[in-house]
Amino acid sequence: MDSSNSADSFNIRDYLRLEMFPHFLCPGCGHGIAMRALLWAVYELDIDKDKIAIVSGIGCSGRIGAYVDANTFHTTHGRPLAYATGLALARPDLHVIVITGDGDSLAIGGNHLIHACRRNLNMTCMMLNNEVYGMTGGQASPTTSETRYTTTSQSGSIEPVFDACALASAAGASFVGREVTVHTPNLKDLLRDALDHNGFSFVEVLSDCTEVFGRKNNLGESPEMILSQKSKMRPSSYGSANGNIVDEPFRPTTLPTGILTHKERAEYGDTYRAHVEKISGSVKNG
Amino acid sequence: MNVIEKDAAAIEVTTGNDVKNVLIVGVGGQGVIMVSKVLALICQDQGHNVKQSEVHGMAKRGGTVFSHVRFGEKVWSPTIPKGKADILLAMEWAEGLRWLNHLKKKTGTLIADTQHIVPPFACLDRTRGASSGYTTQLPGDILENLHDGYALDATGIATEIGNFRVSNTVLLGTLSAILDFPVEIWRKVISEMVPPATIDLNLKAFDAGRSWVEESRKVGKAPEAKPEKKAKKQAPAPKVDSKPVDKDFELVLTPEWCKGCDICVKVCPERCLILNAEHKVELSKPDACTGCRICEWLCPDFAIDVVKDATKTNQTSASA
């Protein structure tokens, strides 16, 4: 890390479209914190703002792109990864960052997510998981915990929950991580590693929705919701990745956090370009 | 004559003068109990009647731990009264000072590690540059007024050997030079007590502690030369706590962006932020703010910025 890019000299206003502020997110929404962590990671890596392309879908998470002073692309519901695939193939010099939500990426765009993971194209996908479709009125999403009340699960959700990180890892993403918003510096570190990774990196951020989810489920005000994230997480350094499940019996409902998958795989853009070169060469020779 | 003195007198009558009292004090996690166990086993091996008692558990790691070891022909009470300890073995400098009144005034010996472990309670004021409240008394001042005293940087010696955790064995080595037991039995008991993988390391540490005393005795044969010998081997004088410095940061609030979610108010460790009548963030206690940035990180509306004043940061680092 460049010593000049320390936490002391990071000014988030350098990365914001100030004329659009204050932003539209509800009071206490964790998405703002995740946005700070992302921009902080960008700052630490010293990436030029012109070299960032933020592609976002529809939803509260999708609006984050509108507030960042970079190349931003607000796309259709569930399809930011499809747009980003084209963009990353056409412009490999850009840092493509996809900001998506739990409903956006796991339900509506679930297909796009698994195929983006499978291809391992160089981009970073930040999924903000607030367990609900916030913007459209609080419908249940694939990550809504069981027994939770939403507008489409009036007597409590009965559907099992998607583990997005396990899904991404199984689909072939070469970098998968999870972190909570309340540990902002850790989230920043994770996003920095994800941005630095050559290949598809998937980061799930456990965010909170106070207005349409927390209130309905009696989870307290935003400070309580933010702080309760601490009891939901289980740092992966506890060793469950190595088969050591020493703390599993005591905290079976917690989610592992930190870097969960980190492997080297052929990056799809490189493979694609090499393939194109090979074919065009054979055409010329033939 | 108060109750404690009466008890002490009674003990003296029943036990006579043949009972030796060793008080071992330190901070939880340093190995106080291990040292006292080694000592008790050695005394037992040498045919003494031994009583050992300790307070531990409540202290947890980082709290104060002490252990009484009494040995002699016949020991009745397991605890050492005030002013009756022959040897005070302190694994931490402030703990040594805390228990100093248990040492025999005329014949007591102090063995102290000069390392500092500042307890969390001493850091209640988290302002940058604030005094930690740790003792400013130096080993030289204390040892001058004692019959016999040894202040060594046992943790430094242990670190040199390879692991700071064996500092307790270094102090055992020092103790072995003062007590009249054969070296072989010390080495044997230590080898039995410590984890098998660390036996060599611990024996090395033991030798280092023992030779430290022998060396310092060589240097100061004449009694008047004592202060010099101690001054020579003492750890460097601890830094005197500086006065609180000017704040090198500023909390910049943007009330127009604040939505009054209350997160900053609840997470601030110093409780120095409030929501005003308009439900906007306000700094209520500017002096209490330490610039820890937690509110800045957790404000979803970017309404709080901790701006570091680079000129002041440079000044403080230059003067320090």
Side-chain angles (χ1 to χ4, degrees):
Chain A
M1 196 188 86
D2 192 340
S3 62
S4 65
N5 282 3
S6 70
D8 288 354
S9 51
F10 170 56
N11 183 2
I12 194 163
R13 281 170 169 69
D14 296 343
Y15 291 89
L16 299 178
R17 291 178 178 149
L18 295 173
E19 67 278 10
M20 304 208 32
F21 271 77
H23 56 54
F24 95 119
L25 297 167
C26 306
C29 176
H31 287 18
I33 304 169
M35 181 174 162
R36 166 183 291 277
L38 178 68
L39 296 178
W40 190 1
V42 165
Y43 170 78
E44 279 207 351
L45 286 172
D46 209 6
I47 303 171
D48 186 7
K49 282 195 278 188
D50 288 337
K51 290 286 172 199
I52 304 168
I54 293 186
V55 186
S56 57
I58 299 293
C60 303
S61 58
R63 283 299 289 262
I64 286 181
Y67 299 109
V68 181
D69 185 19
N71 307 300
T72 59
F73 194 5
H74 201 173
T75 69
T76 51
H77 207 346
R79 274 84 194 170
L81 283 164
Y83 287 89
T85 301
L87 182 60
L89 280 174
R91 291 288 302 273
D93 58 316
L94 292 181
H95 282 264
V96 179
I97 301 166
V98 177
I99 302 177
T100 176
D102 49 323
D104 199 46
S105 66
L106 293 176
I108 297 170
N111 221 354
H112 296 296
L113 175 67
I114 55 174
H115 292 293
C117 293
R118 177 176 63 89
R119 291 195 189 101
N120 198 32
L121 185 57
N122 187 16
M123 62 170 96
T124 304
C125 176
M126 177 167 90
M127 191 197 91
L128 296 160
N129 180 0
N130 59 1
E131 296 196 24
V132 77
Y133 283 92
M135 185 188 261
T136 50
Q139 291 85 356
S141 86
T143 54
T144 304
S145 308
E146 285 178 61
T147 74
R148 290 296 190 217
Y149 300 100
T150 65
T151 47
T152 52
S153 58
Q154 294 280 357
S155 51
S157 173
I158 53 166
E159 293 180 15
V161 180
F162 242 148
D163 183 341
C165 287
L167 176 76
S169 188
S174 49
F175 185 103
V176 177
R178 184 193 277 125
E179 196 53 75
V180 293
T181 50
V182 71
H183 289 174
T184 321
N186 297 20
L187 177 58
K188 176 262 296 176
D189 288 348
L190 181 65
L191 286 166
R192 189 189 61 209
D193 293 349
L195 285 166
D196 225 9
H197 177 73
N198 184 30
F200 187 81
S201 43
F202 180 84
V203 174
E204 180 185 2
V205 183
L206 298 182
S207 186
D208 65 306
C209 177
T210 51
E211 291 297 313
V212 300
F213 186 73
R215 199 188 308 196
K216 239 190 173 75
N217 288 287
N218 210 6
L219 298 176
E221 297 289 320
S222 40
E224 286 81 34
M225 279 194 80
I226 287 264
L227 293 172
S228 71
Q229 288 174 353
K230 285 186 183 180
S231 59
K232 273 191 216 155
M233 54 169 275
R234 186 181 69 226
S236 59
S237 52
Y238 280 15
S240 58
N242 306 328
N244 175 7
I245 49 162
V246 68
D247 61 337
E248 301 260 348
F250 308 107
R251 303 181 66 186
T253 56
T254 54
L255 291 164
T257 57
I259 298 173
L260 305 176
T261 304
H262 193 183
K263 57 193 172 198
E264 291 301 325
R265 268 184 65 205
E267 198 265 324
Y268 179 66
D270 294 341
T271 319
Y272 172 78
R273 283 183 290 278
H275 187 66
V276 169
E277 207 163 289
K278 196 175 124 198
I279 293 173
S280 54
S282 68
V283 169
K284 263 181 220 161
N285 294 340
Chain B
M1 198 184 257
N2 63 29
V3 180
I4 293 173
E5 280 167 2
K6 250 188 218 164
D7 285 356
I11 287 163
E12 204 127 305
V13 170
T14 48
T15 58
N17 285 327
D18 62 331
V19 174
K20 263 219 168 211
N21 299 323
V22 182
L23 182 59
I24 301 147
V25 300
V27 176
Q30 282 193 303
V32 173
I33 311 292
M34 179 267 184
V35 167
S36 74
K37 265 187 189 160
V38 168
L39 181 59
L41 285 172
I42 289 166
C43 298
Q44 214 165 22
D45 189 87
Q46 296 296 303
H48 289 289
N49 188 306
V50 189
K51 278 209 165 69
Q52 183 229 352
S53 73
E54 68 215 13
V55 166
H56 72 277
M58 300 90 96
K60 287 190 184 165
R61 189 155 292 191
T64 171
V65 176
F66 61 89
S67 179
H68 299 238
V69 180
R70 309 190 74 222
F71 60 95
E73 203 176 308
K74 181 70 199 163
V75 181
W76 297 98
S77 167
T79 52
I80 304 168
K82 256 186 197 171
K84 293 293 169 198
D86 294 285
I87 297 171
L88 174 62
L89 182 72
M91 299 194 168
E92 202 269 342
W93 181 239
E95 286 299 317
L97 298 185
R98 192 206 300 280
W99 292 91
L100 213 52
N101 59 356
H102 276 63
L103 203 58
K104 275 185 186 165
K105 283 218 168 63
K106 285 184 187 142
T107 56
T109 306
L110 170 73
I111 305 170
D113 187 347
T114 50
Q115 77 151 323
H116 289 184
I117 299 175
V118 182
F121 317 109
C123 320
L124 284 179
D125 187 351
R126 278 171 287 204
T127 325
R128 200 170 297 262
S131 160
S132 70
Y134 195 90
T135 178
T136 50
Q137 281 176 296
L138 301 177
D141 309 337
I142 301 296
L143 296 187
E144 247 174 47
N145 303 323
L146 289 176
H147 159 69
D148 198 7
Y150 303 86
L152 69 157
D153 182 14
T155 312
I157 294 170
T159 315
E160 255 173 51
I161 288 166
N163 192 337
F164 71 95
R165 287 189 186 86
V166 296
S167 66
N168 58 346
T169 318
V170 174
L171 288 168
L172 265 177
T174 319
L175 182 65
S176 76
I178 291 155
L179 289 173
D180 211 13
F181 296 134
V183 190
E184 300 74 48
I185 181 74
W186 284 93
R187 296 174 68 93
K188 183 177 154 260
V189 173
I190 289 172
S191 308
E192 282 166 8
M193 281 290 296
V194 300
T198 64
I199 289 176
D200 287 344
L201 191 68
N202 274 289
L203 291 180
K204 239 189 196 173
F206 174 80
D207 293 340
R210 197 176 163 88
S211 58
W212 183 88
V213 179
E214 277 160 9
E215 253 173 55
S216 65
R217 274 183 187 155
K218 257 186 242 161
V219 175
K221 261 175 200 156
E224 61 269 19
K226 254 186 184 174
E228 277 104 58
K229 127 206 155 180
K230 275 153 198 163
K232 193 184 158 228
K233 272 285 179 180
Q234 266 160 27
K239 274 182 248 158
V240 179
D241 284 322
S242 57
K243 290 236 167 66
V245 291
D246 283 351
K247 283 188 177 172
D248 58 354
F249 63 90
E250 200 187 346
L251 200 69
V252 181
L253 304 175
T254 317
E256 313 88 83
W257 290 8
C258 173
K259 297 192 182 113
C261 68
D262 212 25
I263 289 178
C264 55
V265 178
K266 291 272 169 66
V267 299
C268 175
E270 312 300 335
R271 299 273 181 272
C272 62
L273 291 165
I274 52 161
L275 291 184
N276 61 18
E278 290 158 3
H279 239 63
K280 302 282 182 195
V281 64
E282 211 174 270
L283 186 60
S284 60
K285 288 183 271 174
D287 293 341
C289 177
T290 62
C292 69
R293 286 181 183 270
I294 293 178
C295 55
E296 185 194 24
W297 293 335
L298 293 183
C299 177
D301 300 312
F302 314 123
I304 305 173
D305 285 291
V306 177
V307 179
K308 291 272 175 187
D309 188 338
T311 53
K312 272 187 188 162
T313 314
N314 291 341
Q315 270 173 18
T316 43
S317 58
S319 65

